[in-house]
Amino acid sequence: MENKTIADIFTEIADLLDIQGENPFRVRSYRNAARTIEDLGQSLESLVKAGKNLEEIPGIGKSISEKTQEILATGKCRSLEELRARVPPGLTELLKLEGLGPKKVKVLYDELAVDSVDRLEKAAQAGRLRNLTGMGVKTEEKILKSIEHYRAGMGRFKLSVGFQYAEALLRHLQGVPGVKRLDPAGSFRRRRETIGDLDILAICGKGCKVMDRFTGYGDVAEVLAKGETKSSIRLKCGLQVDLRVLEEESYGAALHYFTGSKAHNVAIRERAKEKGLKISEYGVFRAKDEKRVSGAQEEDVFKAVGLPPIPPELREDRGEIQAAERGALPRLIELSEIRGDLQMHTTASDGKNSILEMARKAKEMGYAYIAITDHSKAVRVAGGMDEKQLAKHLKEIEKANGQISGFRILKGVEVDILPDGTLDLKDDILRECEVVLASVHSRFNMEEGEMTRRVIQAIRNPNVKILAHPTGRLILEREPFKINLQEVVKAAVDHGVVLEINAYPDRLDLKDVDARMARDMGAKLAIDTDAHSALQLELMKFGVFTARRGWIEAKDVVNTLPLQELLKILK
Ligand code: DGT
Ligand code: CA
Ligand code: CA
Ligand code: ZN
């Protein structure tokens, strides 16, 4: 069983408790557990099989551990079923709408019997929400927008979630005798931030049982189609997976075709037409007599249209074909070029590991440095620090530095940008830090002008070095706040402030096209994990994917620099 499946059960328990008005601490403990499990980076099932005590994992207590074992053993959770019996189904779905919390959901149900997204939409359209306590005409408008947004993302999965399912499934298929090649394609291979489904391609020898193995996978909820060359399944989590078995001679053409994007494919085919060629998922052919020219390798497709290979992340028809033509494709940043991580949290605020534990893990990953950047006091739910606590914490960082060799822990903080644009901590203490990240964690609903002024005022503070998660979005959960990003980037460039690509898979903020715009305007970027545990330092790859989709090169990214050069930039 996948971690995500277990995490979803705890999220649902939290939602159901929340709607019933349960103790917020209890609700939060389930939410935290779900998050921990989802981002664990190791399979809970295999940990249990290896006899590990789950309570040793930070964020997992006795009750969660017991429930996890129950879920793994029986596939069910009794507490969840009891809760479900008490709350109308449909209410938890309403919680997924942005701006709808458990209190509002309860009012909507009690007063208007709203128990589904459709009913809520009808009620809002009919103007029936405006008379309820705490709601108005504005609420109705907002809810209708949230519903639209929710429907657009419905059925899509965050890339990080897709990764967990894809890796497990590929492992399952890899061992099948006769399987010669296995490649994920589609939006997954292009590293889009969300995926609609997973497309897998394979080459197999005669008599290979890969299709049986595929449709017989333990996590399958439904077999949608089964054939010799194509099968489709739906996993228990709802994700659809297509598997195609191909001939060796057309594999490269198919890999190109099914990687997409559709817009990129169309543009490539048009180029082929001009050259008297026809490109399809079966190969490259001469138009006049349909004679096969090539198609076994993916490069064949590019070669046929006179181009060098284009990395999958760029294949969105956003100028990559023209750039390839001019020999001007970027040399995209690689994960191995990252030398350190400049945003992370420890037990001093809402992280799960100590300074030294974070540093040891980072060193083990081959990094030369990290910055410890815990929250400031305005973020109360995250245990943010005041000036005095930060001063003490900075001493702790210095001390930890003495306990690890050949590695540097930078003194940092993630200071909150208050609604009026001032910072949450005094300049005196910020000056003591080597890395000050500034970010917005409250009042997301400001007007664009007001929010832009707020953030630019923070950028103007000479102590601020990095603007963290600049648009505040949460993928499939929360829209970015309204802000004039161009003005923000311009201010950042003027004041030498670095813009973050937050690698945390829920954020990926700046997103691909915004990072590209920022770089084109002359901004420097930092790719940071925002890790809340040592294991989450591994999430860096998702930030690198986003950067690659944004045409970013190593030279644009400050944490590819050696320590001494980085320190110069931070000064
Ligand atoms: P997704 O699954 O919504 O995240 O996005 P994709 O890009 O994975 O799209 P999907 O799964 O529908 O199809 C996989 C690839 O197959 C797609 O990226 C390009 C190719 N493809 C699908 N339909 C067409 C089409 O009508 N024309 C062309 N040229 N290519 C297509
Ligand atoms: Ca797909
Ligand atoms: Ca597909
Ligand atoms: Zn935090």
Side-chain angles (χ1 to χ4, degrees):
M1 186 180 290
E2 297 304 314
N3 286 358
K4 179 72 166 66
T5 315
I6 303 169
D8 284 349
I9 290 175
F10 291 130
T11 302
E12 191 178 345
I13 291 179
D15 287 346
L16 291 168
L17 290 172
D18 222 348
I19 292 169
Q20 293 190 33
E22 258 282 350
N23 176 345
F25 287 101
R26 195 159 163 235
V27 175
R28 190 166 313 139
S29 77
Y30 280 105
R31 287 210 199 287
N32 286 344
R35 213 152 247 247
T36 303
I37 291 169
E38 189 173 330
D39 301 326
L40 195 59
Q42 276 169 296
S43 149
L44 270 184
E45 183 164 18
S46 60
L47 288 178
V48 167
K49 272 191 193 143
K52 189 163 156 92
N53 179 4
L54 298 182
E55 287 174 52
E56 285 167 20
I57 301 172
I60 295 192
K62 183 153 179 283
S63 149
I64 300 281
S65 166
E66 282 170 4
K67 289 198 174 65
T68 303
Q69 314 226 23
E70 179 196 350
I71 295 163
L72 286 170
T74 66
K76 286 190 207 149
C77 176
R78 261 173 306 146
S79 316
L80 173 62
E81 281 166 17
E82 284 164 25
L83 281 166
R84 274 184 181 159
R86 271 187 270 153
V87 178
L91 294 199
T92 50
E93 191 182 12
L94 291 177
L95 281 181
K96 294 193 180 124
L97 296 172
E98 193 178 341
L100 262 200
K103 285 207 188 73
K104 276 201 188 126
V105 167
K106 192 158 185 317
V107 171
L108 288 165
Y109 179 69
D110 291 345
E111 304 284 323
L112 301 174
V114 164
D115 63 356
S116 70
V117 174
D118 289 344
R119 287 215 169 134
L120 177 62
E121 185 179 32
K122 289 210 185 83
Q125 280 164 345
R128 283 161 56 210
L129 307 188
R130 61 190 66 171
N131 303 323
L132 300 179
T133 33
M135 300 190 207
V137 180
K138 269 248 164 88
T139 324
E140 286 170 355
E141 287 166 15
K142 263 195 205 150
I143 283 181
L144 288 172
K145 268 196 87 180
S146 300
I147 291 176
E148 196 184 313
H149 182 223
Y150 171 70
R151 290 207 175 117
M154 219 157 65
R156 295 194 71 83
F157 291 74
K158 282 179 281 185
L159 180 63
S160 57
V161 174
F163 249 75
Q164 291 188 15
Y165 290 112
E167 280 175 351
L169 178 57
L170 288 170
R171 266 198 306 278
H172 174 80
L173 297 176
Q174 232 124 33
V176 182
V179 171
K180 294 183 192 159
R181 256 193 93 159
L182 210 51
D183 293 282
S187 49
F188 181 88
R189 184 165 177 239
R190 301 196 314 280
R191 311 307 194 199
R192 251 189 88 173
E193 61 193 36
T194 62
I195 60 168
D197 71 357
L198 184 60
D199 307 280
I200 301 177
L201 308 185
I203 304 179
C204 296
K206 270 215 155 48
C208 177
K209 293 267 189 289
V210 73
M211 286 304 185
D212 292 338
R213 180 82 170 214
F214 179 63
T215 54
Y217 185 48
D219 223 16
V220 169
E222 192 185 350
V223 175
L224 304 168
K226 189 176 178 193
E228 302 229 321
T229 57
K230 190 194 164 193
S231 300
S232 294
I233 57 176
R234 188 179 303 287
L235 299 179
K236 286 177 186 149
C237 62
L239 180 66
Q240 187 182 321
V241 189
D242 301 336
L243 173 64
R244 291 182 174 81
V245 174
L246 299 145
E247 297 297 330
E248 247 173 304
E249 61 173 8
S250 57
Y251 193 73
L255 188 55
H256 180 266
Y257 178 86
F258 289 110
T259 296
S261 66
K262 197 168 155 180
H264 167 91
N265 288 354
V266 169
I268 290 279
R269 284 176 180 199
E270 251 152 43
R271 256 182 96 88
K273 233 186 254 164
E274 290 162 17
K275 296 190 186 293
L277 295 169
K278 221 186 100 194
I279 292 178
S280 72
E281 61 266 50
Y282 302 106
V284 180
F285 303 90
R286 241 172 20 203
K288 61 172 191 232
D289 55 4
E290 307 256 310
K291 190 180 173 318
R292 172 185 296 277
V293 181
S294 62
Q297 308 297 327
E298 193 175 45
E299 277 128 78
D300 297 345
V301 174
F302 293 109
K303 217 181 269 168
V305 293
L307 296 177
I310 297 173
E313 293 93 331
L314 299 186
R315 300 183 199 166
E316 297 291 347
D317 195 23
R318 292 179 181 152
E320 72 278 10
I321 294 174
Q322 294 76 0
E325 169 131 66
R326 296 196 310 272
L329 281 174
R331 208 198 61 71
L332 297 180
I333 183 169
E334 312 254 355
L335 182 58
S336 60
E337 291 174 300
I338 298 286
R339 293 186 200 238
D341 193 333
L342 300 176
Q343 173 166 198
M344 66 192 65
H345 302 267
T346 69
T347 47
S349 61
D350 59 347
K352 301 212 169 77
N353 288 102
S354 68
I355 300 167
L356 208 51
E357 283 165 343
M358 299 303 278
R360 288 203 176 113
K361 170 70 182 172
K363 190 179 171 194
E364 197 183 291
M365 287 167 64
Y367 288 167
Y369 53 83
I370 54 171
I372 299 288
T373 57
D374 279 295
H375 291 284
S376 66
K377 59 183 186 285
V379 196
R380 220 169 294 138
V381 291
M385 293 179 292
D386 63 19
E387 282 82 358
K388 231 171 115 188
Q389 289 164 320
L390 178 57
K392 187 162 161 269
H393 184 51
L394 295 180
K395 290 226 168 68
E396 299 280 331
I397 296 175
E398 274 171 23
K399 194 172 128 215
N401 243 324
Q403 291 168 286
I404 186 164
S405 62
F407 189 84
R408 180 67 187 279
I409 313 171
L410 298 168
K411 289 181 285 184
V413 68
E414 179 182 11
V415 64
D416 220 54
I417 304 174
L418 300 175
D420 67 0
T422 61
L423 299 179
D424 186 28
L425 294 170
K426 299 219 169 70
D427 284 332
D428 293 348
I429 186 75
L430 296 181
R431 238 174 262 129
E432 301 288 314
C433 298
E434 295 165 290
V435 183
V436 175
L437 286 86
S439 56
V440 169
H441 285 110
S442 61
R443 287 283 307 278
F444 295 110
N445 54 357
M446 285 182 160
E447 298 299 326
E448 180 179 306
E450 213 183 342
M451 184 63 95
T452 306
R453 277 193 298 280
R454 174 184 181 183
V455 170
I456 289 180
Q457 189 178 326
I459 286 174
R460 288 200 179 123
N461 183 311
N463 296 309
V464 170
K465 304 299 182 210
I466 299 178
L467 180 67
H469 43 79
T471 75
R473 70 159 180 174
L474 293 176
I475 296 172
L476 301 178
E477 270 172 58
R478 185 171 75 206
E479 292 271 25
F481 43 68
K482 292 190 207 74
I483 193 161
N484 185 329
L485 204 56
Q486 249 143 334
E487 277 184 36
V488 169
V489 172
K490 191 171 171 301
V493 173
D494 289 347
H495 292 83
V497 167
V498 173
L499 296 171
E500 184 182 65
I501 295 178
N502 191 296
Y504 204 82
D506 302 50
R507 291 194 181 270
L508 303 181
D509 180 9
L510 298 172
K511 66 176 176 188
D512 50 11
V513 290
D514 289 341
R516 186 175 174 186
M517 181 263 282
R519 195 274 317 270
D520 287 347
M521 288 178 66
K524 288 285 176 216
L525 300 160
I527 309 178
D528 303 333
T529 58
D530 202 349
H532 283 68
S533 71
L535 268 173
Q536 289 183 350
L537 291 170
E538 305 267 10
L539 297 172
M540 185 60 87
K541 64 171 183 266
F542 295 104
V544 173
F545 294 153
T546 300
R548 289 171 64 87
R549 287 181 56 83
W551 294 53
I552 302 300
E553 308 189 12
K555 66 174 164 53
D556 306 318
V557 176
V558 295
N559 51 318
T560 62
L561 293 171
L563 177 65
Q564 293 310 321
E565 283 175 53
L566 173 75
L567 289 175
K568 265 184 240 156
I569 287 202
L570 294 176
K571 273 223 174 91

